[in-house]
Amino acid sequence: MALQFILPQIFAQKQRSVSLYIDLHVNKTIYDRTFSNNSAGFGFGAQAFINTKTKFKPDIEINGDIFGGTKQLFLTLDGKHIYAKDGVSNILVGATYHPSSNYYVGFNLGPTFLNSNTYLGIKPTIGFYFLNQRITTKISWTNIFQHDDISYKSFGFLVFGAGVKLF
């Protein structure tokens, strides 16, 4: 009788303290000071969730994106170059809320690296899980507060991605 209660505890797997996903995604620019230069792109990333006993999970997300477009030369009124965005990298930290095992919502912020400069970026996300949380899809919006000597216009884009759980 006692063996009946001991065996399930011996063979049960302990939940990992971290879940790591890698993903590929496509981007669509929704606003930018040189919109035609950076109209769309694609990228890849990794996101780690710290598993807790609550529905809130801290997370960190690292990703990189490449943008394409016309890459025309734009100048300010005083002759300064307004450079197109070839690539954007982010290191974002935040938290996610998992109301069920099928989806989550999150908010991350952190440094964004763009054209050899560092800006603040924010990224709210809605994610969905499939196949016992082994596959994820997500929709997010990234806003980069690109405030510099040329303008105070932010750069924002939608992200549509799909990923797989590594562990």
Side-chain angles (χ1 to χ4, degrees):
M1 181 75 163
L3 192 60
Q4 178 179 1
F5 294 107
I6 295 172
L7 282 178
Q9 291 178 358
I10 293 173
F11 292 107
Q13 287 186 342
K14 181 182 174 191
Q15 182 184 13
R16 292 186 185 266
S17 59
V18 175
S19 296
L20 178 65
Y21 291 85
I22 57 169
D23 69 83
L24 295 173
H25 50 265
V26 295
N27 307 319
K28 179 63 180 149
T29 301
I30 51 177
Y31 51 88
D32 184 27
R33 60 188 176 202
T34 58
F35 184 84
S36 64
N37 278 347
N38 317 300
S39 58
F42 65 94
F44 59 92
Q47 186 170 18
F49 297 98
I50 298 173
N51 296 317
T52 64
K53 294 182 181 182
T54 69
K55 293 184 181 218
F56 288 96
K57 297 181 181 184
D59 73 302
I60 183 168
E61 183 174 356
I62 300 170
N63 54 50
D65 300 286
I66 297 171
F67 285 88
T70 58
K71 304 301 182 195
Q72 299 167 324
L73 175 61
F74 286 94
L75 300 172
T76 63
L77 294 177
D78 58 354
K80 291 182 183 178
H81 288 246
I82 302 175
Y83 294 101
K85 293 154 186 74
D86 292 324
V88 176
S89 300
N90 302 301
I91 302 173
L92 306 168
V93 296
T96 54
Y97 176 67
H98 298 249
S100 80
S101 62
N102 295 328
Y103 69 96
Y104 64 90
V105 293
F107 183 83
N108 290 5
L109 62 97
T112 299
F113 308 101
L114 170 65
N115 292 348
S116 301
N117 293 309
T118 304
Y119 302 100
L120 175 65
I122 61 170
K123 187 175 187 177
T125 302
I126 299 173
F128 303 92
Y129 292 118
F130 302 98
L131 299 175
N132 199 22
Q133 295 189 348
R134 296 200 183 280
I135 304 292
T136 184
T137 60
K138 63 183 173 180
I139 301 167
S140 59
W141 162 64
T142 301
N143 182 76
I144 301 170
F145 295 97
Q146 186 184 356
H147 297 176
D148 54 24
D149 60 345
I150 295 173
S151 76
Y152 289 105
K153 186 166 183 172
S154 296
F155 173 45
F157 53 95
L158 293 175
V159 180
F160 305 95
V164 63
K165 184 177 185 177
L166 293 181
F167 57 83

